[in-house]
Amino acid sequence: MGISFVLMFIAGVICALAPQDLMGAQTSYPSLAFGRFLLACATRGIAITGFVIGSELGGPQQRLLSGIVIKYFFAFGQLLLLTLALTIRTWRTLNAVLAIVPVPFIFFYFILPESPRWLISKQRYAEAELLFHRIAEQNETRFDPIVYQKFVNEDKKRVAARRNETHGFKAIFRSKVMTIIALNMSYQWFVQNLVFYGISQNTGAWLKNPYVSFGISALVEIAAYFVVHLVLDRWGRKLPYCLFVITLAFVTLLVIPIQTFLPKDSQNQYILMFMVNIALKFLASGSYVIIYIYANETFPTQGRNTGMGVCSMIARLGAIIGTFSNDHLTRVWQHSPMVVYGITSVFAMILAMSFPETLNKPLPQTIEDVEQMGLAW
C-alpha cells in the first residue's frame, strides 16, 4: 500500500505537468494518458490492500465497520474534490493539489501494523506474536503465549502436510467450491462496477449544474452506506445484497414506461427520471459496498489479496463497458444502458443466491475453511 501512495504522487505530478505546448499534442496526450494509467493502478492498490488489512486486523464484530468506513471516506473524498474544483478553477493547479494529497499517507507505512493473519499465512510466527502482544496491550487484555505456541505447532504441521500444494492465483482454483465462488464473485464485481460507474458517470446529466449533481451523488452514496451499515449485521450479507440488486433491476426497467407513456421532456417525466436516477445511485452504491465486504469474507487469507485483485481486475472491464455503454448504446436509445444494467443485475442476483452466509463467522484462513463453508445450492 505504501508503494501505491508513492505511485499516486508520481502519477499526479505527471498528470499536472505532462501536457505542455512545447511538447506538442503527439507527446502531451500519451504522457497524460500514462499518468492516468498509473493513477488508476495506484488507487486500486490502495483501495484493495487497505480494505483487506482493515478487515484482517479486526474480529468478526468489527469487520463491517472496518470495511464500510473506507467507503464513507470514499464519498467524503468526492465532496472534498467538489470543494477543490469549485475553489481551484484551473485544471493544472487542481491536478497539482491532488498530487500532494497522498504525500502524508506515504508515512503510514511506518505506522500501520502488518496483518497478523497474513504474517501467519507466510509462517512469520515471531513477527505475528509481537504484533499480538501489542494488540493485547492496547486493548487491555491478556495474550497467552502458550496457547499461541500450540497454534503455531499445529499450523506448522498443516503447512508441512500441504507444502507441495499451489499457492496464490492457482490456489484459488484448486478447489471446486473455491473455483465456483471465485468465478461467481468475479461476475458480481463485473456487474457492480458496470452499474456503479455507468450510473455515476451519468450524474452530470441529472441537473443543469454538474457541480450540484456531483454533490448530490456523493450525498446519496453516504446515505446508502449508512443504510447498509445499519442492516448488514442484522440481516446478514446475502439477503441485503440480493435485495439491493433485484430492486435496482426493477427500478431500471421503470425507465421504459416513463419514457414511453409520458410526454417527452415534460416536467413530470423530468421529475420521475430524477427520482429514478437518485434511486439507482442509492441502490448501486449499497450493492457495491456489500460485495466488497462479502468478497473479503469468502476468500481465504492465503489467497484473499489475490482473489480480491482478480475480482478488481475483472471489475475494471465492467467499468470500461459501463463507459462504453453511456457513449455508444445511447445512440440507439438514450436509456438503453439502463436496460443493460437491469438485465445483468437479475443474473447477478440469481447467482448470488449460491453464496454462503458469512455473518459473524471467522474469516477463512485456508481453502479448506472455504470448502467447509460450502455453497448454498
Side-chain angles (χ1 to χ4, degrees):
M1 189 164 65
I3 295 175
S4 296
F5 278 119
V6 174
L7 185 62
M8 177 181 279
F9 169 70
I10 295 172
V13 172
I14 293 174
C15 290
L17 300 180
Q20 298 285 346
D21 291 336
L22 294 176
M23 296 171 61
Q26 291 183 343
T27 305
S28 290
Y29 180 75
S31 300
L32 177 63
F34 178 68
R36 297 293 295 179
F37 171 79
L38 293 181
L39 194 60
C41 295
T43 54
R44 287 300 89 199
I46 294 168
I48 298 297
T49 309
F51 191 91
V52 170
I53 290 178
S55 63
E56 291 184 348
L57 285 173
Q61 300 300 325
Q62 293 80 36
R63 281 208 304 268
L64 174 59
L65 176 61
S66 62
I68 206 167
V69 73
I70 294 177
K71 304 307 290 183
Y72 278 129
F73 278 94
F74 178 81
F76 290 144
Q78 294 180 61
L79 294 176
L80 175 60
L81 174 62
L82 175 62
T83 303
L84 291 174
L86 287 170
T87 306
I88 304 170
R89 307 304 293 181
T90 58
W91 67 267
R92 193 185 298 277
T93 306
L94 178 61
N95 274 273
V97 171
L98 294 176
I100 298 172
V101 170
V103 172
F105 297 97
I106 295 174
F107 300 96
F108 273 31
Y109 174 82
F110 305 100
I111 300 174
L112 291 177
E114 185 54 84
S115 165
R117 295 177 183 272
W118 181 81
L119 291 172
I120 290 173
S121 71
K122 298 299 181 182
Q123 294 85 56
R124 292 162 61 174
Y125 303 111
E127 295 176 59
E129 183 175 6
L130 292 174
L131 184 54
F132 282 132
H133 274 290
R134 284 177 53 194
I135 294 173
E137 182 180 345
Q138 292 175 2
N139 287 278
E140 298 180 352
T141 186
R142 180 175 176 272
F143 173 75
D144 193 335
I146 297 176
V147 173
Y148 178 71
Q149 192 56 49
K150 289 181 180 179
F151 166 78
V152 170
N153 292 335
E154 292 176 0
D155 194 66
K156 286 181 178 179
K157 292 178 182 178
R158 179 188 61 80
V159 172
R162 304 180 182 278
R163 190 171 298 278
N164 294 326
E165 292 183 354
T166 56
H167 298 280
F169 179 78
K170 292 182 179 179
I172 297 176
F173 300 99
R174 194 178 69 212
S175 157
K176 179 181 177 181
V177 173
M178 188 70 255
T179 299
I180 294 173
I181 290 177
L183 293 176
N184 193 351
M185 194 61 74
S186 296
Y187 176 73
Q188 302 296 331
W189 277 56
F190 171 85
V191 172
Q192 292 311 314
N193 275 257
L194 168 70
V195 174
F196 180 81
Y197 287 105
I199 292 172
S200 297
Q201 289 167 3
N202 195 44
T203 54
W206 289 4
L207 300 171
K208 293 181 179 179
N209 189 323
Y211 292 95
V212 176
S213 297
F214 188 83
I216 293 174
S217 172
L219 293 174
V220 171
E221 276 193 47
I222 294 173
Y225 300 151
F226 180 73
V227 171
V228 169
H229 198 170
L230 290 178
V231 305
L232 219 59
D233 270 348
R234 292 178 173 85
W235 298 356
R237 277 42 169 166
K238 184 160 67 175
L239 178 59
Y241 177 71
C242 291
L243 287 176
F244 269 91
V245 173
I246 196 63
T247 306
L248 184 143
F250 174 76
V251 173
T252 57
L253 297 180
L254 290 177
V255 173
I256 298 176
I258 291 174
Q259 293 295 321
T260 303
F261 300 110
L262 291 180
K264 185 176 177 60
D265 297 329
S266 65
Q267 185 176 7
N268 288 338
Q269 187 185 69
Y270 178 82
I271 293 173
L272 287 175
M273 283 305 303
F274 180 74
M275 294 172 63
V276 165
N277 284 322
I278 291 290
L280 289 177
K281 180 64 177 183
F282 178 87
L283 294 166
S285 300
S287 57
Y288 187 66
V289 69
I290 294 173
I291 203 61
Y292 248 88
I293 296 170
Y294 212 170
N296 194 56
E297 295 177 343
T298 52
F299 284 111
T301 300
Q302 62 182 208
R304 185 168 294 116
N305 252 337
T306 303
M308 295 281 283
V310 170
C311 286
S312 182
M313 178 185 68
I314 295 175
R316 296 309 101 195
L317 296 177
I320 292 170
I321 294 175
T323 303
F324 181 86
S325 299
N326 287 338
D327 289 341
H328 291 78
L329 287 183
T330 51
R331 300 176 185 177
V332 179
W333 181 49
Q334 183 180 358
H335 300 285
S336 54
M338 297 287 191
V339 179
V340 174
Y341 304 154
I343 294 173
T344 54
S345 293
V346 170
F347 285 111
M349 189 278 295
I350 294 172
L351 292 174
M353 295 298 293
S354 67
F355 286 135
E357 181 53 68
T358 59
L359 176 63
N360 292 329
K361 293 182 180 179
L363 284 176
Q365 286 287 108
T366 63
I367 302 292
E368 289 70 27
D369 292 340
V370 177
E371 289 180 332
Q372 290 180 4
M373 291 167 59
L375 297 169
W377 49 265

